[in-house]
Amino acid sequence: NAGVMQNPRHLVRRRGQEARLRCSPMKGHSHVYWYRQLPEEGLKFMVYLQKENIIDESGMPKERFSAEFPKEGPSILRIQQVVRGDSAAYFCASSPSVAGSRDEQYFGPGTRLTVT
Amino acid sequence: QKEVEQDPGPLSVPEGAIVSLNCTYSNSAFQYFMWYRQYSRKGPELLMYTYSSGNKEDGRFTAQVDKSSKYISLFIRDSQPSDSATYLCAMSENRNAGKSTFGDGTTLTVKP
């Protein structure tokens, strides 16, 4: 049973370019979360999505960041016009669709974004 | 002030030692408590999950929650070099919230 998959694992972008990070949840999971981890820091919640719906985006920066989880295909975290401060590890997690199990989140290996 | 404060470490212990990792929190709405283990340049791995005060044991790991003091702990017995990792505590308000709030992590090294 494959776990949460993220790609690419490493992404290098120049300032001003766009970054697209992809996340495929575990089989049977329809809840996806994105977190950002800066060096020497814990994970900071960004956004929580279900299929075709954004449930909680309270951790998303107001500008340049967007996320989607379409009916078909992976969840996408998109960062427009990247700046050096966006350099971080971005982790995706998914959780089961069974009621009452939503907080058991399983993490992917992360995408390490470097902005030069 | 952060909602979740975690002992920063780093922590270095000899093999076989008992390890205690601790977090405090300020948000009394937190009801669910998790511990994750994260190896270098990997994603966090869920170790323990609990929602009530008291102790929960799983093999060499024991999670302890004291909601009255807003304090949680993870104990590792008979620590092994393979336990060397960063340990993250995480909390959420309810099972339907989705969002988890993490501590900054404690890096543990177990020396053979």
Side-chain angles (χ1 to χ4, degrees):
Chain A
N1 185 17
V4 177
M5 299 177 68
Q6 289 187 249
N7 67 81
R9 295 292 307 276
H10 300 275
L11 183 61
V12 179
R13 285 288 178 265
R14 292 182 180 157
R15 280 179 295 171
Q17 291 185 319
E18 178 180 287
R20 280 182 171 244
L21 288 63
R22 295 175 185 78
C23 169
S24 296
M26 287 179 70
K27 186 177 179 180
H29 290 191
S30 62
H31 304 285
V32 166
Y33 317 83
W34 286 93
Y35 292 84
R36 177 165 62 178
Q37 187 175 37
L38 295 170
E40 308 303 322
E41 291 189 14
L43 283 78
K44 300 291 188 265
F45 169 79
M46 299 182 75
V47 63
Y48 164 35
L49 309 105
Q50 294 179 22
K51 287 280 187 182
E52 300 184 283
N53 284 305
I54 296 175
I55 307 302
D56 180 355
E57 57 181 346
S58 58
M60 286 281 270
K62 300 298 181 193
E63 297 177 349
R64 303 188 297 108
F65 285 73
S66 62
E68 62 177 5
F69 189 17
K71 187 176 180 181
E72 301 291 337
S75 175
I76 306 286
L77 178 68
R78 182 181 177 205
I79 311 172
Q80 294 178 292
Q81 299 176 314
V82 296
V83 300
R84 286 207 173 125
D86 297 332
S87 296
Y90 292 82
F91 289 97
C92 168
S94 70
S95 64
S97 309
V98 175
S101 300
R102 209 164 296 173
D103 277 322
E104 295 176 33
Q105 298 177 13
Y106 297 87
F107 281 81
T111 293
R112 278 158 183 81
L113 172 66
T114 301
V115 179
T116 61
Chain B
Q1 184 186 2
K2 293 180 180 178
E3 283 188 292
V4 179
E5 297 277 0
Q6 185 167 359
D7 288 352
L11 198 57
S12 180
V13 301
E15 184 175 355
I18 296 174
V19 176
S20 172
L21 303 164
N22 308 295
C23 289
T24 58
Y25 61 96
S26 57
N27 184 353
S28 58
F30 287 143
Q31 299 294 322
Y32 296 89
F33 306 92
M34 288 74 72
W35 285 97
Y36 288 84
R37 177 174 62 195
Q38 186 176 24
Y39 291 113
S40 180
R41 307 191 72 77
K42 302 288 186 183
E45 171 193 6
L46 180 65
L47 282 177
M48 301 283 285
Y49 175 85
T50 185
Y51 58 88
S52 58
S53 284
N55 293 351
K56 181 178 180 180
E57 192 172 314
D58 184 1
R60 296 185 295 111
F61 297 91
T62 299
Q64 188 176 80
V65 175
D66 182 347
K67 289 184 179 179
S68 62
S69 301
K70 298 190 180 67
Y71 188 89
I72 69 170
S73 297
L74 178 71
F75 298 96
I76 308 173
R77 290 184 300 280
D78 187 24
S79 57
Q80 304 293 310
S82 59
D83 295 328
S84 298
T86 296
Y87 291 80
L88 300 160
C89 63
M91 310 178 187
S92 63
E93 294 185 10
N94 61 65
R95 276 189 152 164
N96 297 318
K99 168 186 176 180
S100 291
T101 302
F102 282 78
D104 286 347
T106 301
T107 298
L108 170 67
T109 301
V110 181
K111 296 181 178 178

